[in-house]
Amino acid sequence: MASRSILRASSQALRSVTTAPIRTGKPSALAAAASFHTTRALFDGKNGSSNSQKNNQLPPGSLARTDESITVEYPEEGELPSSTPVTGRGGMHSKRTLASFSLEGKTSVVTGGARGLGLVMGQGLVISGANLAIVDMNKNPGATRVPKVTAHFADVSDADSVQGCIEGIIAEHGKIDSLVTSAGFTENYDAINYPIDRMRKLWNVNVDGTFLFAISVAKHLMERKAAGSMVFIGSMSGSIVNVPQPQAPYNAAKAAVRHMASSLAVEWAHAGIRVNCISPGYMLTALTQKILDDNPDLKRQWTSLIPQGKMGQPVDLMGPVTFLLSDASQYVTGADLRVDGGYTVT
Ligand SMILES: NC(=O)c1ccc[n+]([C@@H]2O[C@H](COP(=O)([O-])OP(=O)(O)OC[C@H]3O[C@@H](n4cnc5c(N)ncnc54)[C@H](O)[C@@H]3O)[C@@H](O)[C@H]2O)c1
């Protein structure tokens, strides 16, 4: 199922109405796609008009709407492009900084840590002194062992799998102090044609998976009477509606993740457990890079809406996640830290 998946979306669906996936004999989709092509032509300046003429010809609302012809499926495990750890960052240095930013002596768990944002955030935690347990369904993490890094399998959406995984981490590390839930994914379908099984899977991984890991780690911390910190990886999509790709269930799931962080922050404040959310904007991972390589127009549309004028790099999350897991943020809980180049403030 998956190899058709990811990338046909942006490239094929946007490029040609006739090759748009899954959509057959659907006049409204075709009409939307046609209107999108019109918009793109204007956007690309292909109609030979001057800028002011182009602006005048933009159909009202056209740049602020979703396009139901865009379909993107998340790939199966074996088809995920691998991510390489970043190099040239971290290690011992002589620059002065607050000691409270150090994660020395802490053990952190990162779900979805074998790839993408989770892999780089895990690196940031290790660089900041933490031991690390990477949890993923992907059994080939690309991380190196510095200082103590272990890899654990779990399907975060499965309660038994999560429980077994937590027990395995505690057996190897002796304890868990902090958690980052980066396991999650997005897909693009227009709402009416969203296959219900895929919608449920998306919800199970992004929402249930976050909840299951959070409660397991909270239980462990409470049994130890230890303070702890959790960071849920949400998305700016939990606060805004992306365009042009339709993704209503993902947007709703990330809104749920954000509010779950706030709710658990209140519920567990008495136990010294802080829970915050990081909401990234458009980040350049191996997966998004592949999508955009196939469809440069999509990248142009996305970046045109970002005040900083560029997509984020995974390393842009290293500092925010380290801050929120460290004692430097000890009075920060229930917060949503947006790391989006300013996207959501415009
Ligand atoms: N890349 C972006 O632009 C972006 C933007 C905003 C938010 N996010 C969020 O950041 C998080 C990480 O995204 P990414 O871009 O690094 O994605 P990714 O696909 O590169 O990495 C996600 C990892 O999660 C793992 N995973 C998926 N389902 C799982 C499951 N059921 N159990 C255990 N592991 C599972 C995958 O194997 C993969 O290693 C996601 O929650 C995503 O929604 C990403």
Side-chain angles (χ1 to χ4, degrees):
M1 172 168 277
S3 51
R4 326 182 281 260
S5 66
I6 47 187
L7 311 175
R8 64 183 186 186
S10 18
S11 52
Q12 295 174 357
L14 295 181
R15 228 173 253 145
S16 163
V17 173
T18 52
T19 58
I22 298 179
R23 310 279 175 266
T24 48
K26 192 162 175 291
S28 62
L30 297 179
S35 111
F36 182 65
H37 281 255
T38 309
T39 302
R40 273 186 53 211
L42 292 168
F43 196 90
D44 296 346
K46 285 176 184 160
N47 65 348
S49 311
S50 69
N51 279 342
S52 60
Q53 280 172 318
K54 272 186 281 179
N55 287 339
N56 289 340
Q57 289 171 22
L58 280 176
S62 58
L63 294 181
R65 287 181 185 161
T66 53
D67 179 348
E68 65 184 10
S69 72
I70 301 175
T71 304
V72 180
E73 285 175 6
Y74 192 66
E76 299 297 329
E77 179 194 324
E79 294 162 330
L80 287 164
S82 63
S83 305
T84 44
V86 292
T87 53
R89 302 238 167 190
M92 301 298 279
H93 61 77
S94 58
K95 287 181 183 162
R96 282 175 294 178
T97 185
L98 289 171
S100 58
F101 280 97
S102 174
L103 298 177
E104 205 80 50
K106 310 264 192 210
T107 297
S108 299
V109 177
V110 179
T111 72
R115 267 174 34 92
L117 305 182
L119 175 62
V120 175
M121 287 189 287
Q123 272 190 279
L125 304 183
V126 168
I127 288 165
S128 301
N131 291 331
L132 176 65
I134 295 172
V135 177
D136 210 293
M137 289 178 77
N138 180 344
K139 294 177 185 141
N140 298 304
T144 52
R145 286 179 60 85
V146 198
K148 175 169 181 174
V149 179
T150 58
H152 305 260
F153 174 87
D155 176 352
V156 299
S157 63
D158 181 284
D160 292 338
S161 180
V162 170
Q163 192 49 40
C165 177
I166 293 281
E167 285 164 13
I169 293 168
I170 294 169
E172 287 211 46
H173 287 267
K175 62 166 185 163
I176 297 169
D177 299 300
S178 49
L179 169 70
V180 179
T181 59
S182 192
F185 66 93
T186 184
E187 291 189 311
N188 302 107
Y189 290 94
D190 71 285
I192 287 170
N193 291 293
Y194 212 120
I196 190 66
D197 56 328
R198 298 199 74 89
M199 190 276 192
R200 287 191 177 125
K201 184 175 180 203
L202 180 138
W203 199 271
N204 287 344
V205 174
N206 284 286
V207 182
D208 300 4
T210 302
F211 186 72
L212 289 173
F213 253 91
I215 57 171
S216 295
V217 170
K219 198 164 160 245
H220 164 74
L221 288 167
M222 287 177 195
E223 282 166 3
R224 280 175 50 220
K225 297 193 181 348
S229 178
M230 301 185 192
V231 171
F232 296 171
I233 303 303
S235 169
M236 68 172 180
S237 308
S239 307
I240 53 93
V241 176
N242 305 67
V243 286
Q245 69 279 22
Q247 48 183 45
Y250 179 77
N251 298 346
K254 290 303 189 181
V257 166
R258 174 169 53 85
H259 203 51
M260 192 194 301
S262 308
S263 306
L264 295 178
V266 172
E267 195 164 324
W268 296 339
H270 73 90
I273 300 170
R274 298 186 293 110
V275 189
N276 291 288
C277 182
I278 288 180
S279 291
Y282 287 120
M283 309 301 287
L284 265 174
T285 60
L287 197 59
T288 47
Q289 183 66 64
K290 200 152 188 283
I291 293 171
L292 295 174
D293 283 349
D294 290 347
N295 185 44
D297 290 335
L298 193 58
K299 182 172 186 183
R300 195 157 3 133
Q301 287 194 60
W302 286 357
T303 51
S304 71
L305 294 166
I306 305 169
Q308 286 195 349
K310 60 183 179 188
M311 290 176 63
Q313 299 291 336
V315 291
D316 294 329
L317 295 175
M318 275 188 176
V321 75
T322 301
F323 166 67
L324 287 174
L325 291 193
S326 75
D327 292 341
S329 60
Q330 59 190 344
Y331 199 53
V332 182
T333 195
D336 178 34
L337 179 49
R338 297 191 191 167
V339 184
D340 62 5
Y343 190 110
T344 53
V345 295
T346 59

